[in-house]
């Protein structure tokens, strides 16, 4: 409990400073600001999952090692992630309320916080942090939102399919077949989330099809060219007529000034006075 509370307090301070630097610095739009906390959270959770998964792939126990007692640092990481979700809602209400919707904002974050409380209480921090490799596509999406020049939808898809669909399906089957007795809470959680991940990817595919159709329509539509009117020829005589000259101005014969005046397309006239 001490580790959890300490990590939560430190995480909150770090997240506030992190967001404040972006808000009053590089982040200029509400979309950029809405992904600042997600960028840091998904980055830390993705990289923290790597040592857990490396041990699972190299240990004689295999992925059963994910259910071993959780080390202290995984509890601190879970506390950070929980704090990032709460901070995203709290800061978002103040600075980017229009980017927090009901499903992916309030319901998603609140449900995740409840799940993380359950994870801490049942010593499943190691398993949860290992599963956070699923945050890799979120990291890609966050980078593309904070830095629009680095947004590539195909990179997001390339990360999404092997993690949130492929690895998720593997862990669902693994826990159901190999974990005896079956860890009902873990298997149930994976079962509930898997269709949701598939549905999100289905929505992504539909979005890409719509965008592709728009690009195709724009490319095939005839282009209209607006013809600019030709420049009218300049009447040099009118410039040197008596009506345009100042009668009080003294004209010295020793001073000769030439002015090149554009006439029509490329021709020039020289005015001498």
């Amino acid at each position: 409990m001490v580790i959890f509370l300490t990590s939560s307090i430190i995480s909150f301070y770090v997240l506030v400073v992190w967001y404040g630097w972006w808000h009053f610095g590089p982040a200029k739009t509400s979309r950029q600001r809405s992904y600042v906390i997600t960028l840091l959270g998904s980055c830390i959770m993705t990289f923290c999952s790597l040592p857990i998964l490396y041990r699972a792939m190299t240990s004689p126990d295999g992925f059963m090692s994910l259910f071993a007692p959780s080390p202290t640092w995984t509890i601190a990481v879970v506390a950070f992630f929980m704090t990032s979700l709460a901070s995203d809602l709290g800061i978002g209400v103040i600075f980017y309320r229009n980017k927090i919707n009901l499903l992916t904002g309030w319901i998603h974050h609140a449900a995740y916080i409840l799940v993380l409380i359950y994870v801490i209480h049942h010593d499943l921090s190691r398993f949860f942090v290992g599963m956070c490799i699923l945050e890799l596509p979120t990291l890609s999406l966050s980078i593309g939102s904070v830095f629009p020049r680095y947004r590539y939808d195909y990179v997001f898809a390339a990360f999404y399919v092997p993690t949130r669909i492929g690895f998720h399906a593997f862990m669902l089957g693994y826990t159901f077949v190999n974990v005896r007795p079956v860890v009902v809470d873990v298997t149930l959680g994976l079962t509930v989330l898997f269709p949701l991940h598939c549905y999100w990817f289905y929505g992504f595919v539909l979005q890409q099809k719509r965008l592709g159709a728009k690009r195709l329509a724009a490319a095939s539509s005839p282009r209209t060219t607006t013809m600019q009117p030709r420049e009218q020829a300049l009447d040099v005589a009118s410039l040197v007529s008596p009506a345009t000259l100042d009668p009080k101005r003294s004209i010295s014969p020793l001073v000769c000034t030439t002015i090149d005046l554009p006439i029509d397309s490329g021709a020039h006239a020289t005015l001498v006075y």
Side-chain angles (χ1 to χ4, degrees), residues 29-57:
T29 66
S30 59
R31 178 176 177 82
Q32 288 177 304
R33 293 167 181 169
S34 67
Y35 275 92
V36 164
I37 293 179
T38 304
L39 173 63
L40 181 61
S42 60
C43 180
I44 290 179
M45 298 308 295
T46 298
F47 283 99
C48 285
S49 70
L50 298 180
I52 300 294
L53 294 178
Y54 176 79
R55 178 179 177 181
M57 291 184 292

Side-chain angles (χ1 to χ4, degrees), residues 13-36:
Y13 174 78
V14 170
L15 288 165
V16 170
V17 172
W18 167 263
Y19 178 81
W21 184 82
W22 282 95
H23 181 89
F24 298 104
K28 303 302 182 183
T29 66
S30 59
R31 178 176 177 82
Q32 288 177 304
R33 293 167 181 169
S34 67
Y35 275 92
V36 164

Side-chain angles (χ1 to χ4, degrees), residues 60-137:
D61 295 332
F63 283 90
M64 284 298 298
S65 62
L66 295 177
F67 298 94
S70 302
T72 302
W73 71 269
T74 60
I75 299 175
V77 170
V78 171
F80 162 79
F81 192 51
M82 185 186 301
T83 306
S84 71
L85 294 172
S87 299
D88 192 24
L89 289 178
I91 295 176
V93 168
I94 301 174
F95 294 108
Y96 45 89
R97 181 189 294 268
N98 62 325
K99 295 298 180 180
I100 302 179
N101 58 46
L102 181 61
L103 178 60
T104 60
W106 294 104
I107 295 178
H108 174 271
H109 285 27
Y112 237 125
I113 291 173
L114 294 177
V115 168
L116 293 178
I117 293 174
Y118 185 89
V119 165
I120 293 292
H121 183 72
H122 288 81
D123 194 25
L124 292 171
S125 298
R126 181 195 294 270
F127 174 81
F128 179 82
V129 174
M131 291 297 298
C132 278
I133 191 64
L134 272 63
E135 287 296 301
L136 182 58

